Amino acid sequence: MLKIKSGNVTDVDNYRAIAVSTAVSKMFECAIANEIVNVSDNDMYQFGFKKRHSTGLCTNIVKHTINYYFSHGSHVFLCNVDFAKAFDKVNYWKLLNMLLDDGISSTLVGLLSFWFSHQEMCVKWNGVVSGCFSVGNGTRQGGVLSPYFFS
């Protein structure tokens, strides 16, 4: 998928790969989601990738805060982090170790380990499909557990 429509179409960095989750993958993730996803105190500060929350809400709060301080004569400093390709860079071996540290059952982590380490993908470009290749890291766009795994 092209990131910047008016950008250079020959620049490889102007494209965003999308690993689409299959229906079977989504059913599998739904079946194990209750065993993995927990609600912690830290989650209440997360805006994106969460049911009934959006980054639009966060943006609105930031705008109001900036306007408040600016209108009262104060300087405003803002730091923004761009997580470009972040989902693609999730190291699932580190993720699986973190799940074990969080007390997720070793049986479930073993199942996820097998599932992650046996992923294969292919590229579809202009109706032509490439051969399959293994995936060494990342979470899938649209995956039920991908937002949780990323955060």
Side-chain angles (χ1 to χ4, degrees):
M1 169 183 277
L2 200 57
K3 289 181 191 177
I4 303 170
K5 305 256 187 253
S6 60
N8 183 354
V9 295
T10 62
D11 181 6
V12 71
D13 290 327
N14 194 25
Y15 287 87
R16 177 176 294 116
I18 297 177
V20 180
S21 293
T22 64
V24 172
S25 176
K26 287 184 181 187
M27 290 186 333
F28 169 70
E29 289 185 43
C30 282
I32 64 172
N34 289 337
E35 298 298 321
I36 293 178
V37 179
N38 60 8
V39 180
S40 68
D41 294 337
N42 297 333
D43 293 339
M44 64 190 230
Y45 300 109
Q46 180 179 341
F47 286 93
F49 312 117
K50 189 174 168 185
K51 281 185 180 179
R52 295 179 295 281
H53 290 76
S54 74
T55 54
L57 176 61
C58 183
T59 303
N60 192 33
I61 291 170
V62 168
K63 283 181 179 180
H64 283 289
T65 304
I66 290 171
N67 287 337
Y68 173 83
Y69 284 102
F70 187 72
S71 68
H72 287 83
S74 178
H75 294 286
V76 178
F77 300 95
L78 180 71
C79 177
N80 184 34
V81 179
D82 180 7
F83 288 109
K85 299 183 182 182
F87 276 82
D88 301 338
K89 297 191 186 287
V90 171
N91 180 323
Y92 50 75
W93 298 114
K94 287 182 182 178
L95 168 69
L96 295 170
N97 282 321
M98 290 173 72
L99 291 174
L100 288 171
D101 291 343
D102 285 348
I104 304 299
S105 96
S106 59
T107 303
L108 190 53
V109 173
L111 180 63
L112 287 169
S113 171
F114 180 85
W115 183 54
F116 281 137
S117 63
H118 288 81
Q119 294 183 94
E120 286 192 343
M121 295 192 183
C122 59
V123 175
K124 183 177 180 181
W125 184 267
N126 286 334
V128 178
V129 180
S130 74
C132 291
F133 55 91
S134 295
V135 178
N137 61 317
T139 59
R140 293 184 175 192
Q141 184 81 14
V144 174
L145 294 173
S146 292
Y148 173 74
F149 287 158
F150 175 72
S151 65

